[in-house]
Amino acid sequence: MSTLTAEAPVVLSASAEVVAERRRRPGWLRRHGRALAALAVLAGVMFPFLWLVQLAFRPAAGIFDDALLFTPTLEGFASLLQGNFLRSFWNSLAVSTLSTVLSLAIGVPAAYALTRWRFRGRRQVALWILVTRMAPPIAFTIPFFLAFRWLGLQDTLVGLALVYLTFNLAIVIWLMQTFFEAVPPALEEAAYIDGCGVWQAFWRIALPLTAPGLAATAVLCFIFSWNDFFYALILTRTQAVTAPVAIVNFLQYEGWEWAKIAAAGTLVALPVVVFTVLVRGYLVRGLTAGGVKD
Amino acid sequence: MASLIAAPAGGWQAERRRAFAFGLAPALAVLLVITLLPAAALLVGSLTPLSLTDPAGTFRFDDPLVNYRHLLGDERFLGSIGTQLQLSVASVALQLGVGLGLALLLDGRSAVLRATRTVFLIPMVLPPIVVALIWKIIYTPDVSPVHRALEAAGWPVRSLIANPDTALWAIAFADTWQWFPFTLLMVLAALQTLPADPVEAASLDGANRWQLFRYIVFPHIRPVLVVCGLFRLIDSFKAFPLIYVLTDGGPGNVTEVTNYYGFIQAFNFSYWGYGSAIAMVILAGVFLLSWGIGKLGWNTHEHPDR
């Protein structure tokens, strides 16, 4: 490898001279052209999102103004405090946290067992879990809607958190398997020899070693629950309404109050954007889970 | 291996198996209750004319295929499948194109490009309802920067989502905006595993950029593109928030996809049996495509070729 890299520059610089001879063009644009183009595209792509955010800070009276410059105000956010929006925001937070904790508690040991235990039917189980991720929500919603009416779980946070397990468990089991696979089994085998049981070894060795992966998985579960709209729309009425449903209610009943609506949208987007920037690397792994051959 | 250690460690092996089964059992039990049970209930429900008006009286099986027979003659349902296919094909093709193009642009080592790659993820992770809200604003002439600019230029346009000719395209465009980062991510990952030698050799042989792409880069990323396409196709059957917020299936029913029609039948008209039958049809489509992915050999966690 080292000989290759030592030779390559020589060859390249020889050919580079020929190329440079042919088109002796300004170097600056050539060197930074790609980055400039990327930034230009980025600005274009992000424009609709930024427009929403700036709308949230506009004074309600000047919402239809053409002026690009305006005095930012928090009126939009302040008006959210008066209605039921805070409550729905809290509901979203509670239901996402509850569902994340539940799916980690149930899913992480299962992922560990699936990684370390080669049993017959393991492939079928793994496939079943993958298909769960693929299934369209409407297929689950009708039975859940009817069952929840009967069980009295309709319009409750617990019911909603249970439904979110349908996608979160699959995510936890898939993702944590890839993290556990990266832990060398020899470490746990050494612990067995020292007299640890399977789950003691899991708790003391495998789990601490996968802590960053565990955190990333938790973040993803949280985001997926936080982002859900379809289940919340159908399975809640008034008590357990989540923030995305509250936004739609604004659009339907107060459709002219754009500053308020945009403020609500910005608030709901905020945690997700923060998480994205914080845990980018792991996020990529999770978002493409089941898609990337790793 | 097993026979070698069977005598002394047999008891321990059995104990280990029991411990693993103990860890796996709760997850499988929960999955059974929240996925297989509802799927079975859906199938059973789809064989009855179950509806809100008379839940007890309509839960009967004297004509189990009645819903499916109705589906075959339901113009609105058949139309919704056509709409679904149009929307899915258009938006998946756009996503693949945009994602691939951007991946080629962003595949570099500079700090600027790396930072840009992170920001480009945002549309995909945003709550779908916020994406829908963003595009509702863009498509609403009152508050849309685009509409205002066009108006200022003396060229006012009708809202794209109110016009039956453009409504589906407006949704496809918003959907593309939301999901191109998925293809971008996957293609970027594939590009990073592109071996450098063939590229160098070809460029020394005088291949131009297009030839490099056509004969070396593209064959390398083609499998990833196929998988991306299938994944996005499956997910596109679930499109809901964009349609719910932007058009509500209209104008008329030009943007009413199958998923949305199922939602209307089940939750607006409370024809649960009929809605279940529609959901079964979507489920069958998803299974077929998933099976296609399985055939391609992805995600088995066991790759003999590696």
Side-chain angles (χ1 to χ4, degrees):
Chain A
M1 189 63 213
S2 60
T3 54
L4 251 181
T5 44
E7 275 168 26
V10 182
V11 180
L12 271 185
S13 64
S15 70
E17 262 172 29
V18 179
V19 174
E21 205 71 49
R22 213 179 304 144
R23 32 183 157 151
R24 190 165 283 288
R25 282 251 229 103
W28 189 87
L29 197 66
R30 276 190 67 77
R31 242 181 303 130
H32 298 284
R34 186 181 278 252
L36 283 179
L39 286 177
V41 176
L42 186 71
V45 168
M46 283 301 137
F47 176 72
F49 175 56
L50 295 177
W51 189 262
L52 169 86
V53 176
Q54 66 86 30
L55 217 49
F57 290 98
R58 266 182 198 261
I63 204 91
F64 302 120
D65 279 355
D66 281 330
L68 277 179
L69 288 176
F70 58 92
T71 328
T73 158
L74 293 176
E75 277 172 32
F77 295 94
S79 65
L80 287 176
L81 293 177
Q82 287 150 16
N84 284 326
F85 185 76
L86 268 191
R87 181 178 173 160
S88 66
F89 200 82
W90 166 247
N91 280 346
S92 267
L93 215 57
V95 86
S96 306
T97 311
L98 182 60
S99 180
T100 304
V101 170
L102 274 179
S103 42
L104 287 179
I106 303 170
V108 173
Y112 183 68
L114 278 174
T115 319
R116 290 288 188 259
W117 182 28
R118 309 268 143 184
F119 58 97
R120 264 191 310 144
R122 183 176 163 279
R123 272 182 67 109
Q124 280 72 15
V125 170
L127 195 69
W128 170 26
I129 293 165
L130 180 68
V131 169
T132 314
R133 180 211 170 280
M134 301 287 189
I138 186 150
F140 291 134
T141 338
I142 300 174
F144 270 115
F145 177 77
L146 298 176
F148 277 16
R149 269 164 62 102
W150 184 58
L151 294 169
L153 282 171
Q154 209 179 15
D155 204 13
T156 63
L157 292 179
V158 174
L160 207 52
L162 282 179
V163 172
Y164 289 170
L165 285 183
T166 54
F167 50 84
N168 274 346
L169 257 186
I171 291 289
V172 170
I173 294 177
W174 266 103
L175 214 52
M176 286 311 292
Q177 274 190 76
T178 70
F179 292 120
F180 284 131
E181 267 164 16
V183 177
L187 292 177
E188 289 142 60
E189 276 154 21
Y192 298 153
I193 290 169
D194 289 346
C196 272
V198 167
W199 294 106
Q200 254 179 321
F202 160 79
W203 186 253
R204 295 203 183 151
I205 294 162
L207 201 60
L209 284 174
T210 51
L214 190 70
T217 309
V219 166
L220 270 173
C221 285
F222 188 88
I223 289 182
F224 283 131
S225 318
W226 182 264
N227 283 1
D228 167 74
F229 170 67
F230 190 67
Y231 288 115
L233 177 74
I234 290 164
L235 299 174
T236 65
R237 286 286 171 273
T238 51
Q239 299 305 306
V241 163
T242 59
V245 179
I247 291 182
V248 169
N249 287 343
F250 282 153
L251 272 173
Q252 275 170 351
Y253 303 116
E254 302 168 67
W256 59 93
E257 292 198 63
W258 284 107
K260 184 175 170 184
I261 296 170
T266 308
L267 272 185
V268 174
L270 189 67
V272 178
V273 173
V274 170
F275 274 141
T276 307
V277 178
L278 283 184
V279 295
R280 184 204 178 256
Y282 287 107
L283 201 64
V284 168
R285 202 155 160 183
L287 290 170
T288 54
V292 173
K293 195 177 191 177
D294 47 12
Chain B
M1 172 75 186
S3 61
L4 267 179
I5 53 168
W12 186 77
Q13 282 287 348
E15 195 182 315
R16 189 161 173 262
R17 264 202 304 278
R18 255 199 311 280
F20 279 137
F22 180 71
L24 193 57
L28 294 189
V30 170
L31 275 174
L32 194 76
V33 174
I34 63 174
T35 67
L36 283 190
L37 204 61
L42 186 78
L43 177 63
V44 171
S46 79
L47 302 175
T48 70
L50 186 63
S51 75
L52 176 67
T53 43
D54 184 12
T58 48
F59 195 69
R60 54 191 158 77
F61 298 91
D62 44 325
D63 185 8
L65 292 179
V66 59
N67 291 321
Y68 295 95
R69 222 174 28 248
H70 272 175
L71 280 180
L72 290 178
D74 185 346
E75 300 269 329
R76 204 169 154 189
F77 169 73
L78 298 175
S80 81
I81 291 187
T83 310
Q84 177 82 72
L85 289 180
Q86 269 181 47
L87 179 65
S88 295
V89 170
S91 73
V92 171
L94 277 171
Q95 285 163 37
L96 289 180
V98 174
L100 173 62
L102 268 177
L104 292 174
L105 178 70
L106 296 182
D107 182 38
R109 289 183 191 285
S110 85
V112 177
L113 291 181
R114 208 170 316 143
T116 340
R117 288 204 285 262
T118 306
V119 184
F120 267 119
L121 288 185
I122 289 180
M124 178 167 78
V125 292
L126 281 181
I129 208 67
V130 173
V131 174
L133 176 60
I134 287 171
W135 288 95
K136 179 86 175 174
I137 290 170
I138 298 291
Y139 291 141
T140 302
D142 280 350
V143 281
S144 161
V146 182
H147 277 279
R148 275 195 222 162
L150 286 173
E151 209 162 317
W155 197 38
V157 212
R158 217 172 132 195
S159 172
L160 289 181
I161 48 175
N163 182 346
D165 295 330
T166 53
L168 196 61
W169 286 102
I171 288 184
F173 191 78
D175 195 51
T176 304
W177 184 83
Q178 186 181 4
W179 285 111
F180 79 86
F182 183 73
T183 307
L184 173 68
L185 272 181
M186 302 269 279
V187 175
L188 271 174
L191 284 176
Q192 269 156 17
T193 62
L194 182 71
D197 295 352
V199 180
E200 263 172 36
S203 57
L204 284 178
D205 285 346
N208 62 28
R209 270 164 185 252
W210 166 249
Q211 286 168 325
L212 275 182
F213 174 73
R214 172 72 184 78
Y215 294 106
I216 295 176
V217 178
F218 189 70
H220 180 74
I221 56 179
R222 194 174 44 202
V224 173
L225 279 179
V226 171
V227 169
C228 268
L230 281 172
F231 264 75
R232 288 306 314 145
L233 210 55
I234 290 175
D235 273 357
S236 73
F237 293 164
K238 310 173 191 170
F240 184 80
L242 274 177
I243 296 171
Y244 186 80
V245 168
L246 291 182
T247 64
D248 195 18
N253 47 20
V254 295
T255 58
E256 192 175 273
V257 295
T258 312
N259 188 34
Y260 205 76
Y261 183 52
F263 163 77
I264 290 177
Q265 286 291 346
F267 297 108
N268 280 7
F269 303 155
S270 295
Y271 291 141
W272 299 322
Y274 197 54
S276 300
I278 296 171
M280 283 302 293
V281 172
I282 303 174
L283 203 56
V286 168
F287 269 121
L288 273 177
L289 282 173
S290 304
W291 180 75
I293 290 184
K295 268 263 163 198
L296 287 170
W298 287 75
N299 281 304
T300 48
H301 271 258
E302 284 144 31
H303 305 295
D305 55 328
R306 259 193 347 148

